[in-house]
Structures are given as C-alpha cells and as structure tokens.
Amino acid sequence: MPVLYPIVCPHCRKPGKGPIELEGKYIRCRACKKSFLVKLPAQAKAKAASQEGPGIYAFAEAGGEHRHEEAPVPVLPVMDEEEESSNPYGVTDMDERRRCPYCADLMEEEDVICLNCGYNTQTRQHIRTERTYANTPGDVFMWLLPGIICVISIFLVIGFDFFWWFGLESLWWKPMDDFLGLTSISLGIRVWEVVISLFVIWKLGKFAFKRLILHPTPEEVKKQAGPKKL
C-alpha cells in the first residue's frame, strides 16, 4: 500500500491524505468541490526520496545495457482523515428500520403481520392476503343508487294507491257503481290493487334496507395477478 502524505485544501482548509504522485497536480476537494494544485511539504518530499531505494536502473550485462523501468504507481484519490479512521470499509449508509424477516418489506414497530406477504412475526406463519382496488366515491354512489331508486319507487307506489283509491272516485268508481248497480266490484278491484302494491312495497323496502343499511359499501375488486417477469 503506498504511503499517504497530508494534503490541506487551501480554500476550506480541509485536511486529507494522498500519495506522493499527486505532487504538482490539480485535484478536487471533496468538501468544497474546488480544484487546487498539490504542494507537499519539503519534509514529505525528503522522506519519499529516502524511501525510493537505489534507483530504477540495474547493472549492465555482457550483451549490452538493459534498463528496467518500474511499473507506474496508480494515483489514489485523496481521502479525508475522518473518512479513513471512522469508515474504513466504505459503508455509507445503514438502514435500521424494522423489516419483515420473510420478504424484507418495511414494517412498523407495532405491526405483527406483514402487509406485503402476510407473514406473522409471532406465530411465524403465513396468512393469505388479497390485493384489492380501493373504492372511489363513484363506485359507492353506483352501489347505493339501486337502493335510492327503490325508496323513491315506494313513495311513488304509495302515491299511486291514493290516486287509485280516492282520485278516481268521481271519475271512474262512482259511474261504474251506478251503471252496474253494485259497489262490490269497484271495491274489490281497489282492494286487490292495494294488496299487490303492498307486496311490491315490501320487496322494494327489503332490497333498500339491505343495500342502504346493512351493506352500504361495495365489495372491493380483487387485483388479478399479472404474468411473472423473467
């Protein structure tokens, strides 16, 4: 590992370290993002010269002179002293939030069952989960609309009964009774009409009660599982 020498940014005075090969080159400071010319202290240069050894040339052989050059040393980036000491393995972030032990999805601290895969962290069993589409206000209105129509129909049937019984008294029932000489026929027709109306009102009221009172929200539509991606 090459020896690193102290380098100080002249702009922000941020200390760092780098190899001797950075001498006379421009580098960028990680703190202030500004470039500057590297000038190592004289003591660092002298120390580097003493560590270089006898030189880069070998003795000449009988066949002639052979010069062996050293391989170039790769230039290392400048590393701050804080980064070098506190983070030697390059770990930049650590997520300590709670996750599901089965699918690794995020969970709240008070959650027992993972909402993503249905894993129970206490019993260590999977619970079957189904993905559905959330109901919109339009879906709720369309679900309640038949019940509202039934309630309106009940009032219309009741109004028709009053008109059938009393509104046609002078226009239809009294002339019929005078022509036939009997009142039982018109009375029977009116009674049977009311009986049929009561049956219709009961059916409409039963449906409206279930739709508006017992089940006022529609069932959620299940999401269809798409094809698996290879």
Side-chain angles (χ1 to χ4, degrees):
M1 181 176 180
V3 181
L4 302 181
Y5 298 95
I7 300 175
V8 180
C9 176
H11 303 287
C12 65
R13 311 305 299 174
K14 181 70 175 180
K17 288 185 178 182
I20 190 64
E21 287 77 14
L22 296 180
E23 169 68 19
K25 297 180 180 179
Y26 282 91
I27 63 174
R28 185 183 299 275
C29 178
R30 293 186 177 180
C32 64
K33 307 301 181 182
K34 295 182 179 180
S35 300
F36 63 93
L37 181 64
V38 177
K39 294 183 179 180
L40 296 178
Q43 297 178 355
K45 296 179 182 180
K47 184 178 180 181
S50 63
Q51 293 177 354
E52 287 181 357
I56 61 175
Y57 296 96
F59 290 100
E61 298 180 358
E65 295 184 356
H66 296 277
R67 185 175 65 182
H68 302 277
E69 296 184 357
E70 292 182 350
V73 180
V75 179
L76 300 178
V78 179
M79 180 180 296
D80 296 341
E81 292 182 354
E82 297 179 357
E83 296 179 0
E84 183 182 6
S85 58
S86 62
N87 194 13
Y89 298 104
V91 179
T92 57
D93 192 12
M94 182 178 297
D95 191 354
E96 298 181 354
R97 292 177 295 179
R98 186 186 178 196
R99 292 183 176 272
C100 173
Y102 187 84
C103 67
D105 193 64
L106 291 176
M107 297 179 61
E108 299 294 337
E109 293 296 333
E110 64 275 5
D111 290 346
V112 177
I113 299 175
C114 176
L115 300 179
N116 183 53
C117 65
Y119 182 78
N120 192 320
T121 57
Q122 293 183 352
T123 62
R124 300 189 181 278
Q125 296 177 351
H126 273 94
I127 299 176
R128 183 180 178 184
T129 59
E130 295 180 347
R131 296 180 179 271
T132 58
Y133 294 99
N135 291 324
T136 62
D139 296 334
V140 177
F141 174 76
M142 294 302 298
W143 174 260
L144 299 177
L145 184 59
I148 297 174
I149 293 176
C150 288
V151 174
I152 297 175
S153 300
I154 290 174
F155 287 101
L156 292 177
V157 171
I158 294 175
F160 178 77
D161 289 342
F162 276 96
F163 175 77
W164 180 265
W165 191 280
F166 302 104
L168 298 178
E169 176 69 24
S170 59
L171 297 176
W172 184 260
W173 306 124
K174 186 173 180 56
M176 179 183 293
D177 294 339
D178 295 340
F179 177 77
L180 298 176
L182 298 172
T183 59
S184 58
I185 296 178
S186 62
L187 182 61
I189 294 175
R190 285 183 283 182
V191 170
W192 276 108
E193 189 278 333
V194 173
V195 171
I196 295 174
S197 298
L198 292 176
F199 178 77
V200 173
I201 291 173
W202 179 76
K203 285 290 186 179
L204 295 174
K206 182 179 179 181
F207 180 83
F209 179 78
K210 289 182 178 180
R211 182 58 60 91
L212 301 178
I213 305 300
L214 297 181
H215 305 288
T217 56
E219 296 182 357
E220 295 180 344
V221 180
K222 298 179 182 179
K223 293 183 178 180
Q224 299 294 334
K228 296 183 178 179
K229 297 182 179 180
L230 300 178

